[in-house]
Amino acid sequence: MKAIVLIIALGGLVAGGLLWLTGRHDLANITWFVCVLPALLSLVVEVLRAIAREEVGLDIIAAVSMSFALAFGETLAAAVVAVMYSGGTFLESFAEGRARREMLALLARVPRTAMRKRDGTLEEIPLDEVEPGDLLLIRQGDVVPVDGTVNSAKAFIDTSALTGESMPVSTLEGTEVMSGSTNAGDAFEIVTLRRASESTYAGIIRLVEDAQRSKAPMSRLADRWSLGFLAVTLLIALGAWWMTDDPIRAVAVLVVATPCPLILAVPVALVAGLSRAAQYGVLIKGAAPLETMARIKTLILDKTGTLTDGRPQIVSIHSHGAFSDDEVLRLAASLDQASKHPVAQAMVTAAQSRGLVLSLPSEVAEIPGEGVVGGIDGHRVMVGGDTFVARRIGRTSDDQPPQEVGAVIVAVAVDGHTAGHLVMADPLREGSQQMLARLRNQGVERILLATGDRVEVARRVTEGLGLDGLRAGLTPDQKVLLVLTERKNRPVMMVGDGVNDAPALAAADVGVAMGARGAAASAEAADVVLLVDRVDRLLPGIEIAQAARRIALQSVVAGIGLSVIGMVVAALGHLTPVEGAVLQEAIDVAVILNALRALRIRPEAPSGDAAT
């Protein structure tokens, strides 16, 4: 529709110009008059709809200027305004479409079918028929259709479309892969974890669609500014008319003020910022959170899974007797291949990363929550909590476990004797201290830790980070209370990943969820989802939000300033209505092009990332 109105207005302007040049002035004026009507009619409809919504925007200035120009016989000026306004709205739509290009690319990559292996055969099935536990073949170049775990020895995965990671990563058997990733290597198999509609990529698509329908606070604020700008415009126009008794000066003032960059610059800049942030693995659910994100002064961080990795890692190994550290780990990991416990899986991963060759366990018996017993290479091996192992083999003074605050101690026994202890902990994410320092440089004034863990554990983990406060032992409702208390003083961002964080994320001005491994509830409650399991993605996210907001404000201030200057010049009689309309057209094009600079924002990427 916008394109049709633009074509009629532009065609009428050109046709009227040709008629004028051939001396048929009356017919030219009629042509210009007629070509203005569709634009004016659509504009009046928009104004009435806005009034019905109790909104008064700058569209009313364009309607008044066209109406005044037609009423006083300035049909050429009215035609230029019609082309200007319809062209501006069309350009705005085009610019927003250009800004959403990277987001829409997600939609284009949605796979429609999957290759399922069943009963020794391959069958291509619709994505909706995939069930949890199905075995799927992911061919080279295929997009992973649903979340699953690798069922082959290894896989080479490209997650750039989701996370912005510039290099593909190699994953081992048992590693979870996100839907939406691309197979960058040989074909491999996955065992599906959930249906397509419940998978990571489907959730991302829903968030993208929600983001595209949003309207930013700055856009609403622009509508409020429009009342003041409308008053100034009418004051200058009526003042020029009253002082000179020349209504044409009033028309010239009105056309210079139409349609005003406030209508165009803010949404274009902010939607461009959304698109740019998505390239860095930061999915912001709309222009409103992006604008708020740029003004954040207080940051509240969850500990487990956010500031820390959320997965236990081996801190140290204490071997006993003739066993070496690597042999203790190899025996424990070999047996723990039969367990799904997070600590067991962490030991298997640690052993594989060291290149240790694991043996096949036999006669395995697992006591849930306590430990595992089984045969490894002809030996009877026991792995579990120190109390569990000590109770079965007894303890001597030589095999006392190490004592570390906040650590998990795993005991390993072989043939009834203690072989060693593994100290496991959930350490800080690499680069956390540098990340917090950079956040302060970006304007964050207060950084707090909120955790349900014990206070001594929280203090040990965060020692040396320079936090402004630490709140430990919190329940979900206490986290909400902390967020609400901090919001009384300054805008608050809350970052978390668990179901227990969801209420606090919803209560914050901006809630940020760790989307890669975080709970679905937290991602749903959050305003921002980090698509890669790295909290340092906050850095480019905040920087892009600040830059996009700054560009929007620059466009508005520059556009308004130039429009006011043009109105004053027109009121003094130095601009005709046609000249004023052309001048405003140039101003509007300039501010839209300036707003599109947000597509080229290049934040300082976290270590190891490459700018897109």
Side-chain angles (χ1 to χ4, degrees), residues 132-322:
D134 281 348
L135 185 64
L136 302 184
L137 176 67
I138 311 299
R139 297 164 296 187
Q140 187 175 30
D142 278 355
V143 174
V144 178
V146 297
D147 297 341
T149 56
V150 177
N151 195 52
S152 302
K154 63 179 180 179
F156 203 46
I157 303 295
D158 179 2
T159 62
S160 58
L162 296 177
T163 67
E165 292 283 358
S166 58
M167 298 296 292
V169 294
S170 181
T171 59
L172 300 173
E173 184 174 3
T175 304
E176 183 174 343
V177 292
M178 290 188 295
S179 54
S181 305
T182 302
N183 181 8
D186 296 332
F188 65 92
E189 298 175 353
I190 65 168
V191 177
T192 61
L193 294 174
R194 50 190 69 92
R195 295 179 176 85
S197 60
E198 302 167 351
S199 288
T200 301
Y201 200 58
I204 291 171
I205 298 302
R206 286 192 293 270
L207 296 181
V208 170
E209 291 170 341
D210 291 342
Q212 292 175 340
R213 289 192 291 265
S214 72
K215 185 180 183 185
M218 284 186 66
S219 297
R220 292 191 291 270
L221 183 59
D223 290 338
R224 291 198 294 271
W225 288 350
S226 68
L227 293 175
F229 188 77
L230 175 60
V232 171
T233 299
L234 294 176
L235 181 64
I236 295 176
L238 295 175
W241 189 357
W242 178 73
M243 294 182 66
T244 64
D245 200 28
D246 182 4
I248 302 303
R249 290 200 183 187
V251 174
V253 170
L254 289 171
V255 297
V256 171
T258 309
C260 184
L262 276 175
I263 301 175
L264 309 173
V266 172
V268 170
L270 296 185
V271 171
L274 292 177
S275 174
R276 193 62 175 146
Q279 296 176 41
Y280 283 81
V282 182
L283 184 61
I284 304 174
K285 292 185 182 180
L290 182 136
E291 197 275 331
T292 307
M293 196 172 178
R295 301 182 290 106
I296 289 300
K297 297 299 179 184
T298 296
L299 174 64
I300 302 177
L301 293 163
D302 176 47
K303 180 181 75 69
T304 304
T306 302
L307 196 57
T308 65
D309 186 63
R311 292 172 291 192
Q313 298 179 20
I314 294 177
V315 176
S316 61
I317 301 175
H318 301 264
S319 55
H320 300 295

Side-chain angles (χ1 to χ4, degrees), residues 8-21 24-39 66 70 73-80 82-83 578:
I8 293 174
L10 184 58
L13 178 63
V14 172
L18 294 174
L19 290 169
W20 182 274
L21 292 175
R24 288 179 282 186
H25 295 177
D26 290 343
L27 193 55
N29 282 319
I30 293 174
T31 301
W32 287 329
F33 189 97
V34 171
C35 80
V36 170
L37 294 180
M66 276 190 264
L70 291 178
E74 292 289 336
T75 54
L76 176 56
V80 173
V83 171
V578 174

